[in-house]
Coordinates of all heavy atoms in Angstrom, one line a residue:
E217 N 3.1 -16.2 -7.6 CA 1.5 -16.3 -7.5 C 0.9 -15.3 -8.4 O -0.3 -15.2 -8.5 CB 1.1 -16.0 -6.2 CG 1.7 -17.2 -5.1 CD 1.4 -16.8 -3.7 OE1 1.5 -15.6 -3.4 OE2 1.3 -17.7 -2.9
T218 N 1.7 -14.6 -9.2 CA 1.3 -13.4 -10.1 C 1.2 -13.9 -11.6 O 2.1 -14.5 -12.1 CB 2.1 -12.2 -9.9 OG1 2.3 -11.9 -8.6 CG2 1.5 -11.0 -10.7
N219 N 0.1 -13.7 -12.2 CA 0.0 -13.9 -13.7 C 0.5 -12.7 -14.5 O -0.3 -11.7 -14.7 CB -1.4 -14.2 -14.1 CG -1.7 -14.6 -15.5 OD1 -0.7 -14.5 -16.2 ND2 -2.9 -14.8 -16.0
W220 N 1.7 -12.7 -14.9 CA 2.3 -11.6 -15.6 C 1.8 -11.3 -17.0 O 2.3 -10.3 -17.6 CB 3.9 -11.8 -15.6 CG 4.4 -11.8 -14.2 CD1 5.0 -12.8 -13.4 CD2 4.4 -10.6 -13.2 NE1 5.3 -12.4 -12.2 CE2 5.0 -11.0 -12.0 CE3 4.0 -9.3 -13.4 CZ2 5.2 -10.2 -10.9 CZ3 4.1 -8.5 -12.4 CH2 4.7 -9.0 -11.1
D221 N 0.9 -12.2 -17.4 CA 0.3 -11.8 -18.7 C -0.6 -10.6 -18.6 O -0.9 -9.8 -19.4 CB -0.6 -13.0 -19.1 CG 0.2 -14.2 -19.7 OD1 1.3 -14.0 -20.0 OD2 -0.4 -15.3 -19.7
Y222 N -1.1 -10.4 -17.3 CA -2.1 -9.4 -17.2 C -1.8 -8.4 -16.0 O -2.6 -7.4 -15.8 CB -3.5 -9.9 -16.8 CG -4.0 -10.9 -17.9 CD1 -4.5 -12.1 -17.6 CD2 -4.1 -10.3 -19.3 CE1 -5.1 -12.9 -18.7 CE2 -4.6 -11.1 -20.2 CZ -5.0 -12.4 -20.0 OH -5.6 -13.2 -21.0
V223 N -0.8 -8.6 -15.3 CA -0.4 -7.7 -14.1 C 0.9 -6.9 -14.5 O 1.8 -7.5 -15.0 CB -0.1 -8.5 -12.8 CG1 0.2 -7.6 -11.7 CG2 -1.4 -9.3 -12.4
R224 N 0.9 -5.6 -14.0 CA 2.1 -4.8 -14.3 C 2.2 -4.0 -13.0 O 1.4 -3.7 -12.3 CB 1.8 -3.8 -15.5 CG 1.6 -4.5 -16.9 CD 2.9 -5.1 -17.4 NE 2.8 -5.8 -18.6 CZ 2.4 -7.0 -18.9 NH1 2.1 -7.8 -17.9 NH2 2.3 -7.4 -20.1
V225 N 3.6 -3.6 -12.9 CA 4.0 -2.8 -11.7 C 4.6 -1.5 -12.1 O 5.4 -1.6 -13.0 CB 4.9 -3.6 -10.8 CG1 5.4 -2.6 -9.6 CG2 4.4 -4.8 -10.3
L226 N 4.1 -0.3 -11.8 CA 4.6 0.9 -12.2 C 5.8 1.2 -11.4 O 6.1 0.7 -10.3 CB 3.5 2.0 -12.1 CG 2.1 1.7 -12.8 CD1 1.2 3.0 -12.7 CD2 2.3 1.2 -14.2
P227 N 6.6 2.3 -11.8 CA 7.9 2.6 -11.2 C 7.6 3.0 -9.7 O 8.7 2.8 -8.9 CB 8.4 3.8 -12.0 CG 7.9 3.5 -13.4 CD 6.4 3.0 -13.1
D228 N 6.5 3.5 -9.3 CA 6.3 3.9 -7.9 C 5.8 2.7 -7.1 O 5.5 2.9 -5.9 CB 5.5 5.1 -7.8 CG 4.1 4.8 -8.2 OD1 3.7 3.7 -8.8 OD2 3.1 5.7 -8.0
G229 N 5.8 1.5 -7.7 CA 5.2 0.3 -7.0 C 3.7 0.0 -7.0 O 3.3 -1.0 -6.7
E230 N 3.0 1.0 -7.7 CA 1.5 0.8 -7.9 C 1.3 -0.5 -8.8 O 2.0 -0.6 -9.8 CB 0.8 1.9 -8.6 CG -0.6 1.8 -8.7 CD -1.4 3.0 -9.4 OE1 -0.5 3.9 -9.8 OE2 -2.6 2.9 -9.4
T231 N 0.5 -1.4 -8.4 CA 0.2 -2.6 -9.1 C -1.1 -2.5 -9.8 O -2.1 -2.2 -9.1 CB 0.4 -3.8 -8.2 OG1 1.7 -3.8 -7.5 CG2 0.3 -5.1 -8.9
V232 N -1.1 -2.8 -11.1 CA -2.3 -2.5 -11.9 C -2.5 -3.7 -12.8 O -1.6 -4.5 -13.1 CB -2.2 -1.2 -12.6 CG1 -2.0 0.0 -11.7 CG2 -1.2 -1.2 -13.7
S233 N -3.7 -3.8 -13.5 CA -3.8 -4.8 -14.5 C -3.6 -4.1 -15.9 O -3.6 -2.8 -15.9 CB -5.4 -5.3 -14.6 OG -6.2 -4.4 -15.1

Side-chain angles (χ1 to χ4, degrees):
E217 297 170 329
T218 305
N219 182 2
W220 295 111
D221 289 341
Y222 299 131
V223 176
R224 297 290 183 268
V225 179
L226 305 190
D228 65 352
E230 183 182 6
T231 303
V232 304
S233 79

